[in-house]
Amino acid sequence: MAFIYYGQGVSSLYQDFVERLMSQLALRGTEITHQNVGDTISTMDIRHIGEQGKMEVVIDRENVRVSYTVDRERKEIKKGLAGAVTGAGLGGLLGGILRGDRDIGDVLGGAAAGGAYGAYDGYEASREERTAFAEVLAEAVRDVENELQAIIAGQEEAREALRERGRQKREEDLARTEELRELLEELYGDLLAVQEEVELAAVEGQDVKKPRARTDRAEVLYQEAEAALEDGNHAVVKAKVKAARAMVEGAADLLANAGDG
């Protein structure tokens, strides 16, 4: 008889699923041998309270499918012939053995294919043990699924937190960019005003060599600040604006005090 269970939505953590499932089964008294763990499919032999079989763990789209097939020894049927073999289309097989019409090997093959076999002292125990391990396996798959779902949920929360921090940083950067752009616009306006004053002073015959040198330097700093803003280097923008502002104010002071000498 085959039992199939699904770990829902955990295929992205397949290797972790297999390791945790094996650990859960071992803790529940299951012996696991001949395990062959791959990237998408894993197989192993199982023994649990006298029952033995094979288990396959495979990725099935977004899920992980766990299949367990019971693989019993023939000695269970040999425990007694005065019993009832059950299963689809198997009701008269044991009677055939007692009458001598059927060989016990035929019964074993048919019963195994039908998913049930045994006699009075073998069948009930075998059925109960298989059911017990099916429950053990179902519980183990459920526990592992819950654990991995919690991990996946935590990972998604962490990713969402990162996305939120990213959004906040972009918003802060945009706000900072706008603030610095306003500072540049204000600086440019003041620079133009002082440059006009320098040209007027020159027309009036004043010596404007020093104030013009400062406005020329301020213009270079302004252009460098603009380039830094395009590159997103806010610290450089702020420093360039501060230096340019000092040049503009220095040029203005020189013009204001030109007649004091």
Side-chain angles (χ1 to χ4, degrees):
M1 180 176 291
F3 301 91
I4 300 176
Y5 304 99
Y6 284 86
Q8 300 288 335
V10 294
S11 61
S12 61
L13 298 177
Y14 173 76
Q15 294 289 336
D16 202 357
F17 182 95
V18 175
E19 293 175 4
R20 287 170 182 263
L21 180 61
M22 292 171 62
S23 296
Q24 288 279 357
L25 293 176
L27 289 173
R28 289 168 164 85
T30 304
E31 179 184 354
I32 302 174
T33 58
H34 304 107
Q35 56 264 41
N36 182 11
V37 179
D39 294 333
T40 61
I41 183 171
S42 303
T43 58
M44 59 202 72
D45 292 340
I46 298 296
R47 185 184 295 273
H48 183 83
I49 316 179
E51 179 185 350
Q52 64 185 32
K54 299 184 182 300
M55 191 166 73
E56 180 184 75
V57 186
V58 60
I59 289 179
D60 187 349
R61 290 178 292 185
E62 73 276 10
N63 308 315
V64 177
R65 185 178 72 244
V66 181
S67 303
Y68 170 71
T69 304
V70 178
D71 183 16
R72 275 295 187 182
E73 297 179 359
R74 294 189 177 189
K75 64 183 181 181
E76 285 197 18
I77 289 192
K78 295 177 183 178
K79 289 180 180 179
L81 296 179
V85 179
T86 62
L90 300 175
L93 291 179
L94 188 58
I97 294 174
L98 296 178
R99 293 192 304 269
D101 299 334
R102 304 294 297 275
D103 181 79
I104 191 170
D106 295 335
V107 174
L108 177 63
Y117 56 88
Y120 272 132
D121 62 346
Y123 172 71
E124 290 297 329
S126 175
R127 184 183 64 180
E128 290 174 2
E129 288 164 10
R130 287 201 303 272
T131 302
F133 182 70
E135 293 175 357
V136 166
L137 182 58
E139 291 173 358
V141 171
R142 179 198 60 198
D143 289 349
V144 173
E145 176 189 317
N146 290 339
E147 291 173 3
L148 296 185
Q149 287 286 8
I151 291 174
I152 291 173
Q155 291 174 340
E156 180 55 33
E157 289 177 2
R159 285 191 291 267
E160 179 57 32
L162 286 174
R163 287 192 291 267
E164 180 60 27
R165 285 197 291 272
R167 284 193 293 269
Q168 291 178 354
K169 187 178 186 304
R170 286 192 296 272
E171 291 174 359
E172 291 171 359
D173 287 345
L174 285 173
R176 184 61 175 158
T177 297
E178 288 304 312
E179 178 184 347
L180 292 174
R181 196 177 302 279
E182 290 176 3
L183 286 178
L184 278 172
E185 291 175 356
E186 183 180 354
L187 170 65
Y188 187 64
D190 292 344
L191 174 59
L192 285 177
V194 174
Q195 284 176 329
E196 287 295 325
E197 291 181 9
V198 169
E199 295 306 319
L200 286 173
V203 170
E204 294 173 356
Q206 295 182 29
D207 181 6
V208 294
K209 182 177 180 180
K210 289 183 178 180
R212 178 174 285 155
R214 281 170 170 74
T215 57
D216 288 347
R217 180 56 185 163
E219 187 170 1
V220 171
L221 289 167
Y222 168 79
Q223 293 171 350
E224 292 174 350
E226 267 195 326
L229 186 62
E230 292 300 320
D231 293 337
N233 197 333
H234 293 170
V236 171
V237 175
K238 189 173 182 179
K240 297 288 185 180
V241 167
K242 183 177 181 180
R245 173 65 62 186
M247 291 294 102
V248 171
E249 292 175 354
D253 288 343
L254 285 171
L255 288 173
N257 299 323
D260 294 345

